[in-house]
Amino acid sequence: LFVREALKQPESRSSADKLTLAAKLISDSKETSFEHKALLEASTLLKMQEAFDRDLTEEFVGLSVNETLFQLIKGGYTNRAKKVQSEFKVPEKIFWWIRLRALVSARTWSELEDL
Amino acid sequence: MAPSAVFDTDQIKDKARKDLLYLLEGVPGKKNLVIEKALAGPIGIFVKFSTLQDYGVDKVFLLENGNADVSQQNVVFIARGECAKHAQSIADHIKRMQRESQTAHEFSIFWVPRRTLVSEKILEEAGVLGDASISEFPLYFLPLEKDVLSLELDDSFSDLYLRKDPTPTYILARALMLVQQKHGLFPRITGKGDNAKKLADLLARMRQELIAGEDTSEGNKLGLTPSTTIESLIVIDREVDYATPLLTQLTYEGLIDETVGIANNQADVDSSVVGAAPQPAPGSSKTVGAAQAQGKKRKIALDSSDKLYHQLRDTNFAITRAKSTAELRDFVNKLPGYQAEQQSLKIHTGLAEEIMRHTRTEQFSRLLEVQQNLAAGADPSSQHEAIEELIARDAPISEVLRILCLESCIAGGIKPRELENFKKMILQAYGYQHILTLDALEKLQLLLSRTSPMATMIPISSSVATTGTKTNYTYLRKALRLIVDEVNEHDPNDIAYVYSGYAPLSIRLVQCILQKQYLASITRGGSANNTASVATGGPSQGWKGFEEAIKHVRGQTFDEVQKGEDKAVKARALLTGSGEKKTVFVVLLGGITSTEIAALRFIAKKEEARKQIIICTTSIISGSRIMDVAIEKGSLGKSNTT
């Protein structure tokens, strides 16, 4: 499986390439449509995380979607978090939970009150 | 030469120790030991480091650390023969040592439990085969307790069910064969599950080979007649009952295993919980394994030599919790004031408090609630909201997967749309590398969609009575009374107490089989009549429907009688007399949880007068250990240093 190889890639860029390759490989088969979608999402996430890494001080590469959201909200980048949410169609409820946890850990009580 | 009526596991311990020391004696002079990590613990169970020192062992190293030095001329490796990786690292070691030092070294390798072609080949290719003397160290069963034998194969679960590697089955068969050679054939082998069937077939074949290969001298013949001291062998395949280990264990020992983990009768507990390590008192369990682990974590030996633990281990934690610290202290004060007990009191109050801290968290009670609801057969969809919340709140992935797998096992798969939803949530919450995790779980048939071909094989109506391909919990829940509502945790009356109301299916099956024995004895003679009516409690009224019920359990069913020459049997029966306590071997292929052990001990206690139950298994498992097998450790885009 190419995914394993992708895991081994130290650089996020080459890892994303491998993922796309893996996605292409299984895109023909109908049964694996779920995996296909997931792989594409994975590489999108990687690309976004790289962008965040460049722009922001925190490190994002290697985190999951939820963890990324968590970091973003904690750091106060609410708009970016909203973008990620819409990109990956994170359900409202889960997003709400993440936001709650993140705001608590960042101790931004004023925003908590706004919820 | 009357064999002792009660099977003594200490014999096995003694034999293992003798075997090892004998092998060590074969290597003259001082030597360094290099032990595979997974073997260090087991070896520590039966031999003390000081004993090893008496036999000229200077230092002990772990094979995986690769830091064995060249201080001694003799180097002894001990590793499992099945694993190619270990052979490779032994070869690396030897080459490195030859490079590093001027003096010639003597290498010895002890393969556990046998040498294999693969590892010899690897050594040969590395060019070191000729430099080492190789012997076998036939270590099979390790007695963890007086009534528990384990192969301690840590990988047995993944070997059997993920990679479909039959090695553990083979080793188990060999181990049981040794028992048969010593105590006579198991008069009856009963079992459930495909791997269990394989095991029985292997045993039959090994027996044939033994007959064919051996000259018929008197001594050997003995091993091939049915034993008079052993009643039967019961084999249950883990595959038959995945759901049980997926539930959170609720006995004291089980909870320790769930929260801190127990390996080879030892738990690594943070010393802040149980206090700093005491001064090594004379006779304290200073073993090979403990000698190496220092620092923050402290190893605690958990076995029945600790009287307090012996009493507590199999009780439902609800009681342990009820017994407040003060009560515990009272209890110990009543005992003669041995220092050892004071210490164990300190350890166990510490442990209990730690566990309580864990069980009091909201997350734990949520998990438990969902699990109990699922086990009781509540509509799975009603639980989904709770699971979603757990994911959103970043509960450990192993716990979330455990619940989903539990649902899949019990309800026969999850509805495809909902499963896809969960999969998506898991990937987003824990990372896309878990595509591999989900794939592995599917291979294990733990997490299935209802539409998948493997899930639909569940017979919907009970009329489809072919051999089950999948365990049908909905049916069995009623047939075998898996759910006992009015369970008394303080004075248990049914094995269901171990899970606070759910009786493990695997153990229910054992109960059924034991009762089947009674049925057979009734038909043969009236003497056993009254024993049948006081049978093991629980579903005793329902044993007639047992054949029907077992069709709803996954895997092949078999029941074989091993016969020897009639004359010999009769003669031996005369010699040993009747009415003696007989031994029943219960084998759980693919691992057993400590809670299931507790349940078996409960049966054993009820049957104490007539039977002794010996539990055999490939390893001790728990739900989180099953999940660990599947969970992908790496993460995307991060450089993996390991």
Side-chain angles (χ1 to χ4, degrees):
Chain A
L1 222 68
F2 268 101
V3 186
R4 275 205 196 285
E5 259 180 66
L7 280 175
K8 286 192 197 110
Q9 296 299 322
E11 293 289 315
S12 49
R13 178 149 302 262
S14 50
S15 149
D17 292 345
K18 276 275 189 297
L19 279 175
T20 337
L21 193 59
K24 226 180 264 160
L25 265 176
I26 59 168
S27 62
D28 311 330
S29 157
K30 232 184 192 167
E31 281 160 40
T32 52
S33 64
F34 172 77
E35 281 80 4
H36 178 228
K37 228 171 71 206
L39 284 175
L40 289 182
E41 276 182 38
S43 49
T44 326
L45 175 66
L46 268 178
K47 273 176 207 139
M48 289 180 95
Q49 284 174 336
E50 267 176 64
F52 292 147
D53 270 359
R54 271 197 305 276
D55 303 345
L56 310 170
T57 45
E58 286 92 346
E59 241 187 67
F60 289 94
V61 170
L63 298 179
S64 70
V65 175
N66 287 13
E67 285 160 356
T68 311
L69 284 170
F70 183 85
Q71 278 295 340
L72 284 173
I73 299 170
K74 193 179 166 190
Y77 310 105
T78 320
N79 287 334
R80 282 194 175 86
K82 283 250 165 67
K83 217 181 114 208
V84 174
Q85 187 208 356
S86 63
E87 174 76 35
F88 293 98
K89 298 192 188 71
V90 177
E92 197 60 44
K93 212 156 124 199
I94 288 181
F95 185 68
W96 192 83
W97 269 113
I98 296 169
R99 216 163 130 199
L100 183 67
R101 283 193 296 125
L103 289 178
V104 168
S105 78
R107 302 187 194 286
T108 40
W109 308 115
S110 56
E111 269 196 66
L112 255 177
E113 271 171 29
D114 295 345
L115 281 175
Chain B
M1 78 150 288
S4 64
V6 178
F7 185 81
D8 189 6
T9 49
D10 282 341
Q11 285 175 3
I12 296 179
K13 216 182 222 174
D14 287 342
K15 188 174 174 299
R17 182 166 46 228
K18 263 188 230 146
D19 281 346
L20 178 63
L21 295 179
Y22 176 76
L23 283 170
L24 285 176
E25 263 182 350
V27 182
K30 287 243 175 203
K31 52 221 149 210
N32 280 348
L33 274 184
V34 185
I35 302 180
E36 175 193 338
K37 208 187 207 159
L39 277 173
I43 287 175
I45 288 180
F46 63 82
V47 65
K48 289 200 168 78
F49 183 62
S50 56
T51 322
L52 289 179
Q53 276 175 326
D54 292 344
Y55 281 80
V57 173
D58 187 42
K59 284 180 192 156
V60 178
F61 299 96
L62 291 182
L63 183 59
E64 278 82 351
N65 291 353
N67 60 353
D69 63 15
V70 288
S71 59
Q72 295 295 335
Q73 201 200 349
N74 293 304
V75 183
V76 177
F77 295 95
I78 306 179
R80 287 205 191 275
E82 277 83 12
C83 190
K85 205 175 73 206
H86 296 314
Q88 188 59 53
S89 70
I90 287 178
D92 292 345
H93 259 89
I94 293 180
K95 275 199 263 185
R96 185 175 57 83
M97 286 188 213
Q98 282 173 338
R99 241 194 350 262
E100 278 177 12
S101 75
Q102 277 79 41
T103 51
H105 284 283
E106 300 268 338
F107 297 105
S108 321
I109 302 173
F110 302 161
W111 290 122
V112 179
R114 63 195 171 109
R115 54 208 291 183
T116 56
L117 268 175
V118 188
S119 17
E120 311 246 304
K121 191 90 193 155
I122 289 169
L123 291 182
E124 199 185 321
E125 271 168 20
V128 292
L129 186 62
D131 299 330
S133 64
I134 293 172
S135 24
E136 289 183 336
F137 173 32
L139 176 68
Y140 289 96
F141 276 137
L142 261 170
L144 292 180
E145 281 302 330
K146 283 222 173 304
D147 55 351
V148 184
L149 297 174
S150 168
L151 295 171
E152 292 293 276
L153 293 169
D154 291 342
D155 299 330
S156 60
F157 187 81
S158 61
D159 278 352
L160 279 170
Y161 305 114
L162 189 58
R163 289 198 283 280
K164 314 281 180 210
D165 175 356
T167 307
T169 316
Y170 179 77
I171 296 179
L172 190 58
R174 286 276 293 250
L176 289 170
M177 217 40 212
L178 285 178
V179 174
Q180 291 204 60
Q181 271 165 301
K182 197 160 165 46
H183 298 273
L185 291 179
F186 302 117
R188 189 180 208 120
I189 303 180
T190 325
K192 184 74 195 163
D194 293 344
N195 284 307
K197 174 79 180 140
K198 265 182 224 153
L199 177 73
D201 291 345
L202 263 174
L203 280 176
R205 215 184 70 207
M206 283 177 179
R207 186 181 158 212
Q208 293 301 329
E209 279 168 7
L210 204 66
I211 292 172
E214 231 147 62
D215 50 339
T216 45
S217 65
E218 268 310 296
N220 289 330
K221 238 180 166 178
L222 184 83
L224 292 171
T225 52
S227 166
T228 49
T229 53
I230 300 173
E231 187 182 273
S232 64
L233 172 73
I234 300 170
V235 191
I236 307 278
D237 191 348
R238 182 77 274 167
E239 218 171 28
V240 162
D241 179 19
Y242 274 148
T244 301
L246 291 172
L247 287 161
T248 302
Q249 308 182 58
L250 290 177
T251 58
Y252 183 53
E253 187 175 26
L255 270 170
I256 298 178
D257 198 10
E258 297 272 346
T259 43
V260 283
I262 300 176
N264 315 119
N265 275 358
Q266 288 179 328
D268 284 327
V269 188
D270 207 283
S271 47
S272 65
V273 175
V274 287
Q279 300 305 310
S284 82
S285 55
K286 195 82 174 159
T287 54
V288 183
Q292 283 147 351
Q294 292 295 324
K296 249 192 185 165
K297 299 273 181 178
R298 178 179 156 204
K299 274 198 191 288
I300 293 191
L302 294 170
D303 52 39
S304 49
S305 63
D306 181 341
K307 278 187 197 130
L308 182 61
Y309 184 60
H310 184 61
Q311 288 205 347
L312 287 179
R313 65 189 313 175
D314 294 336
T315 52
N316 188 297
F317 191 67
I319 313 170
T320 323
R321 204 171 354 188
K323 269 191 196 159
S324 65
T325 319
E327 270 177 79
L328 274 174
R329 199 154 289 155
D330 269 2
F331 168 76
V332 175
N333 283 342
K334 271 182 223 147
L335 295 166
Y338 289 135
Q339 212 194 336
E341 256 119 42
Q342 294 290 346
Q343 249 167 32
S344 93
L345 166 78
K346 220 167 112 197
I347 289 171
H348 289 293
T349 42
L351 265 178
E353 271 161 21
E354 173 72 13
I355 291 172
M356 252 185 269
R357 226 183 338 264
H358 176 71
T359 51
R360 279 214 194 105
T361 57
E362 197 195 337
Q363 213 174 64
F364 182 85
S365 45
R366 269 294 165 80
L367 277 169
L368 205 62
E369 194 189 318
V370 175
Q371 285 179 357
Q372 301 259 353
N373 286 343
L374 285 173
D379 179 23
S381 309
S382 63
Q383 305 300 320
H384 284 173
E385 208 163 304
I387 301 177
E388 256 181 62
E389 192 189 312
L390 284 168
I391 297 176
R393 296 176 71 176
D394 209 19
I397 182 171
S398 62
E399 297 299 335
V400 173
L401 288 174
R402 228 167 126 167
I403 292 193
L404 286 174
C405 292
L406 182 69
E407 180 185 333
S408 164
C409 284
I410 286 184
I414 300 173
K415 288 192 190 106
R417 263 205 39 223
E418 286 167 354
L419 180 65
E420 198 146 309
N421 248 331
F422 275 125
K423 275 184 170 175
K424 195 179 147 213
M425 270 188 257
I426 285 169
L427 291 180
Q428 289 191 342
Y430 303 103
Y432 288 97
Q433 68 272 26
H434 292 297
I435 292 182
L436 296 173
T437 309
L438 295 170
D439 182 56
L441 286 175
E442 201 169 320
K443 252 189 224 147
L444 286 166
Q445 301 194 23
L446 279 172
L447 191 61
L448 293 173
S449 142
R450 264 197 204 161
T451 49
S452 95
M454 279 179 284
T456 47
M457 276 193 278
I458 295 176
I460 303 298
S461 64
S462 55
S463 61
V464 192
T466 49
T467 32
T469 44
K470 197 95 194 8
T471 301
N472 183 349
Y473 283 93
T474 324
Y475 176 84
L476 289 168
R477 196 152 34 225
K478 287 196 205 89
L480 296 180
R481 207 155 155 244
L482 295 183
I483 299 297
V484 182
D485 285 329
E486 60 288 348
V487 63
N488 187 345
E489 282 153 357
H490 292 264
D491 183 21
N493 48 6
D494 186 87
I495 56 164
Y497 88 93
V498 294
Y499 281 111
S500 292
Y502 164 79
L505 170 64
S506 47
I507 310 304
R508 273 282 194 259
L509 288 175
V510 173
Q511 279 186 316
C512 286
I513 294 164
L514 284 176
Q515 279 162 331
K516 201 166 163 182
Q517 289 287 331
Y518 290 123
L519 180 63
S521 61
I522 295 168
T523 48
R524 255 184 255 127
S527 61
N529 225 331
N530 46 350
T531 50
S533 51
V534 246
T536 12
S540 50
Q541 313 90 342
W543 53 261
K544 258 183 193 156
F546 162 60
E547 259 107 348
E548 185 56 39
I550 207 157
K551 281 178 192 148
H552 292 268
V553 181
R554 173 174 170 180
Q556 296 179 61
T557 315
F558 59 91
D559 182 17
E560 285 158 22
V561 181
Q562 295 205 88
K563 279 202 210 105
E565 295 158 62
D566 278 345
K567 259 189 227 157
V569 182
K570 270 183 197 144
R572 290 195 70 197
L574 273 175
L575 275 173
T576 44
S578 55
E580 262 183 86
K581 227 165 132 171
K582 291 207 171 189
T583 308
V584 178
F585 280 79
V586 177
V587 175
L588 262 115
L589 189 57
I592 189 170
T593 63
S594 29
T595 302
E596 283 170 309
I597 294 179
L600 278 173
R601 284 202 182 120
F602 182 74
I603 301 175
K605 198 139 200 195
K606 294 245 153 160
E607 295 284 312
E608 211 164 27
R610 294 178 297 276
K611 290 191 180 64
Q612 183 198 12
I613 294 182
I614 300 276
I615 307 161
C616 306
T617 185
T618 45
S619 65
I620 309 286
I621 55 160
S622 69
S624 36
R625 240 163 270 165
I626 291 181
M627 291 302 124
D628 279 348
V629 165
I631 291 173
E632 177 59 45
K633 309 267 174 349
S635 76
L636 283 169
K638 241 187 201 162
S639 47
N640 293 312
T641 42
T642 46

